[in-house]
Amino acid sequence: MNVTLDGETVVKLQPVFGYLHRNHEKIAEGNSWLAAVPYTDRLDYICPLTNNWAYTLAVETLAGLEVPERAEYIRIITAELTRLQNHVAFMGFILADMGAWGSALMYAFREREKILDLFEALTGARMMCNYMRFGGCRCDLPSGWLESAGQLVEGFPAFLDEMEALLTGNEILLARLQGVAPLTPERAINGGLSGPILRAAGVDYDIRKVDNYGLYSRFKFRVPRGRVGDCYDRFMIRVLEARESVEILKQALVGIPDGPVVNPKAKQRGFRPPAGEAYGRIEGPKGELGFYLISDGSDRPYRFRVRPPSLINLTLLEELCLGTKIADVMVILGSIDIVLGEVDR
Amino acid sequence: MVDEALKADLQKRGIFVASFEDLYNWGRKSSLWPLQFGLACCAIEMIATAAARFDLARFGAEVFRPSPRQADLMIIAGTVTKKMAPLVVRLYNQMPEPKYVIAMGACAISGGPFKEGYNVLKGIDRYIPVDVAIPGCPPRPEALLEGLVKLQEKIQAQRLFGPNRARHTDTCEAGDYPVPTYGAHDLEPPLNPQVFQPAPARKDLE
């Protein structure tokens, strides 16, 4: 970031990116359809499973593949767990940005490790899960997984309560967050924002409700919204969303049916979708994550385009920061919740 | 050197005998201060290693320093792109001797899964000397701890005097390396031959 200051006040700010440009799109266009799945893990490396889902959803739209019901449930469970761990990590990171390096992050990562243990038991990897496949998931749940997930979900509200008791009423946190960089709903919509930052500005827009992708229409959950759109709202919206995710998880863990986890008609290796184009999007933990794919009928994508929420949410950074103090810039950046793997791709 | 049996005998009476080198190296290896700097996915695992469950503090390396002037270990955690490589080399040059480098993850070692990318450096060892390379994508926190222990073994074995003494004890030896610049097509120079000396390809495998 290039920041121009007048005293301590920001008068100009220019994000500079490209330091982590890893050529995701070009590499994916040179490889087979299936080979792009592990690369999507590394886009937003805090939440790999939602990235997997967005990509497989786009391919399934392109090829018109059906997904078995059990696989949809597993997807919802893993996606909501991903959302939980992203929001938990966010709480730790934004506190670290405010200068509380250490304690908050330790609490957050303690909880995150429990979720990563579940991912590891399911997929074999802590972070780079590479789990979803066209028309389903790679493997079925291991025995006892649902029980341990249930235990985690049962205990999670207690952790959120603990975190809130420590944080939300804290005088320093309120002083650092409340009233900092408010955002109007109009500006948020015009800026193309999505995800928690958009809802914190008071816009009722959640792709889980709008698109009803997967089986989200079967689940009862609320979409929390902010009123002021300042950093505090952006912080609280994550806490509230985590609570809603817990509700979804409770319903999903009870309602998961038996059955196959992958569509037997779907061919993974040597997959050739018909020529055409498709856009698949999901409500990722950071916003609308979309994949725009063009197929020319061959075994590799003709065009592979990622619509990353982090990058588009970042575009409003200058506007949010102008007129604030230099010390607030890090907090505002933290409250947008970006991951540079996704910004630069 | 002190006789080992005598050393053990003295130890029973509460007297510890060590050579200056051993004591000095023991102190150095037990308080490595890493540079707080992450590049990509591996940085998250690095944070997880520093957090409560894996607890890097058990090995004396939890004091992450935001300034290279105060750090003596550089953990290259993540993909080094061509835009980032000059900055990494510059940060390395700014660190005081003795300094060590851990290349964490496949990307830092060789470009990893992004090796085909036009913007990805194919291994940071082209520009700066790497002491420990930890494979994995990303390596687990246990692997990072293992790498740290390996580095500690290396530090403990370093000699301060004599013909095989450590690089940093020789004042004539360069402690910094040229920073690459952007050329027309690639970084200039594409590698530093002083540093980058890969083992020749094995013929017997073919």
Side-chain angles (χ1 to χ4, degrees):
Chain A
M1 269 189 296
N2 292 333
V3 187
T4 314
L5 298 173
D6 175 13
E8 281 196 21
T9 311
V10 178
V11 293
K12 193 176 171 220
L13 185 144
Q14 204 179 8
V16 182
F17 33 76
Y19 287 106
L20 197 53
H21 176 50
R22 299 193 282 193
N23 331 114
H24 276 279
E25 298 181 356
K26 202 73 197 160
I27 291 177
E29 284 161 18
N31 285 315
S32 66
W33 291 89
L34 182 64
V37 178
Y39 284 101
T40 61
D41 284 336
R42 288 158 181 82
L43 271 172
D44 174 355
Y45 36 76
I46 296 188
C47 14
L49 283 160
T50 45
N51 302 348
N52 282 182
W53 194 1
Y55 175 61
T56 45
L57 189 74
V59 174
E60 283 150 14
T61 321
L62 185 65
L65 277 173
E66 293 282 321
V67 182
E69 203 176 323
R70 186 175 172 84
E72 292 278 25
Y73 267 85
I74 296 177
R75 284 179 177 192
I76 286 175
I77 292 170
T78 51
E80 293 306 322
L81 282 173
T82 307
R83 196 182 315 278
L84 280 185
Q85 60 113 341
N86 178 69
H87 288 356
V88 163
F90 165 84
M91 285 180 229
F93 283 136
I94 192 169
L95 262 290
D97 288 342
M98 272 185 261
W101 177 256
S103 330
L105 200 70
M106 295 280 173
Y107 275 82
F109 268 68
R110 181 192 68 191
E111 218 58 28
R112 184 175 175 266
E113 290 289 341
K114 292 181 191 165
I115 300 177
L116 291 190
D117 277 350
L118 286 178
F119 287 170
E120 193 181 352
L122 176 61
T123 71
R126 281 161 52 86
M127 275 173 71
M128 302 305 167
C129 299
N130 183 15
Y131 179 58
M132 291 179 196
R133 291 288 180 268
F134 311 137
C137 300
R138 177 158 52 101
C139 51
D140 204 349
L141 302 172
S143 62
W145 195 85
L146 283 174
E147 287 74 35
S148 37
Q151 276 175 10
L152 179 116
V153 170
E154 281 305 314
F156 209 82
F159 162 73
L160 286 174
D161 291 342
E162 184 190 16
M163 205 75 174
E164 279 211 77
L166 291 169
L167 297 178
T168 40
N170 186 307
E171 206 172 317
I172 304 173
L173 185 119
L174 293 180
R176 288 301 302 276
L177 292 182
Q178 274 188 337
V180 175
L183 185 64
T184 59
E186 295 76 35
R187 196 65 201 96
I189 292 171
N190 290 346
L193 305 189
S194 55
I197 176 170
L198 176 70
R199 291 191 287 276
V203 183
D204 185 9
Y205 184 78
D206 187 320
I207 298 170
R208 286 176 292 178
K209 292 276 189 196
V210 176
D211 274 14
N212 276 327
Y213 64 92
L215 295 174
Y216 271 116
S217 50
R218 291 194 194 175
F219 293 87
K220 273 177 77 173
F221 62 101
R222 291 171 299 173
V223 179
R225 267 183 294 161
R227 249 191 312 236
V228 194
D230 57 356
C231 284
Y232 185 71
D233 276 3
R234 291 199 274 275
F235 174 78
M236 277 310 289
I237 202 105
R238 263 93 180 191
V239 181
L240 297 174
E241 275 194 11
R243 289 190 189 279
E244 291 306 315
S245 287
V246 170
E247 290 306 313
I248 299 177
L249 279 168
K250 277 183 190 161
Q251 298 168 38
L253 290 172
V254 174
I256 183 166
D258 285 332
V261 292
V262 68
N263 185 342
K265 281 183 214 148
K267 198 179 168 198
Q268 308 292 343
R269 284 178 193 281
F271 178 75
R272 282 167 189 270
E277 52 190 88
Y279 180 65
R281 60 176 189 171
I282 65 160
E283 180 69 34
K286 295 186 169 64
E288 176 186 341
L289 175 65
F291 283 82
Y292 178 62
L293 304 169
I294 301 182
S295 161
D296 55 0
S298 72
D299 59 349
R300 54 190 63 180
Y302 175 75
R303 180 78 176 97
F304 178 95
R305 152 92 185 142
V306 190
R307 187 251 186 235
S310 294
L311 172 66
I312 295 170
N313 291 350
L314 188 65
T315 50
L316 232 60
L317 180 68
E318 180 177 20
E319 200 173 311
L320 289 174
C321 287
L322 287 186
T324 59
K325 301 281 184 236
I326 176 78
D328 290 334
V329 171
M330 274 320 289
V331 181
I332 297 169
L333 182 66
S335 77
I336 298 177
D337 192 16
I338 58 160
V339 157
L340 282 165
E342 198 175 53
V343 171
D344 293 334
R345 304 195 299 293
Chain B
M1 292 306 277
V2 190
D3 177 40
E4 286 298 322
L6 177 65
K7 228 169 154 176
D9 191 36
L10 285 171
Q11 234 170 51
K12 280 178 200 151
R13 300 178 208 181
I15 302 168
F16 291 88
V17 182
S19 69
F20 174 70
E21 263 181 353
D22 283 348
L23 193 66
Y24 181 77
N25 284 340
W26 172 79
R28 289 197 305 139
K29 79 166 189 188
S30 311
S31 62
L32 285 168
W33 285 12
L35 182 60
Q36 183 182 355
F37 126 101
L39 294 170
C41 332
C42 290
I44 306 291
E45 284 296 62
M46 188 170 77
I47 298 169
T49 316
R53 190 190 210 174
F54 297 99
D55 200 8
L56 204 53
R58 291 180 294 160
F59 302 91
E62 83 282 17
V63 194
F64 280 87
R65 304 311 296 181
S67 161
R69 303 284 184 205
Q70 301 168 343
D72 42 25
L73 166 64
M74 187 185 221
I75 302 178
I76 300 178
T79 317
V80 187
T81 58
K82 286 179 183 166
K83 189 165 180 176
M84 199 67 194
L87 311 184
V88 174
V89 179
R90 194 168 294 137
L91 282 174
Y92 178 80
N93 289 346
Q94 286 170 350
M95 282 165 56
E97 291 282 8
K99 52 190 173 187
Y100 301 94
V101 176
I102 289 181
M104 181 183 181
C107 291
I109 296 172
S110 70
F114 299 99
K115 191 163 182 159
E116 343 165 18
Y118 50 84
N119 192 34
V120 176
L121 187 72
K122 282 129 195 91
I124 191 61
D125 55 345
R126 282 162 192 253
Y127 293 113
I128 57 178
V130 172
D131 293 286
V132 178
I134 308 172
C137 188
R140 298 176 58 85
E142 291 95 327
L144 180 57
L145 294 178
E146 166 85 17
L148 190 75
V149 172
K150 282 271 176 279
L151 181 66
Q152 289 185 340
E153 282 169 14
K154 181 172 178 171
I155 294 173
Q156 185 67 57
Q158 279 190 329
R159 298 275 71 94
L160 304 176
F161 312 102
N164 295 327
R165 61 191 182 168
R167 180 180 56 90
H168 71 269
T169 56
D170 189 351
T171 44
C172 299
E173 193 77 37
D176 51 353
Y177 296 96
V179 179
T181 51
Y182 304 116
H185 303 290
D186 199 355
L187 286 172
E188 285 295 332
L191 54 87
N192 184 351
Q194 249 187 322
V195 180
F196 187 59
Q197 287 150 356
R202 283 176 64 182
K203 291 279 189 312
D204 55 331
L205 292 175
E206 288 164 7

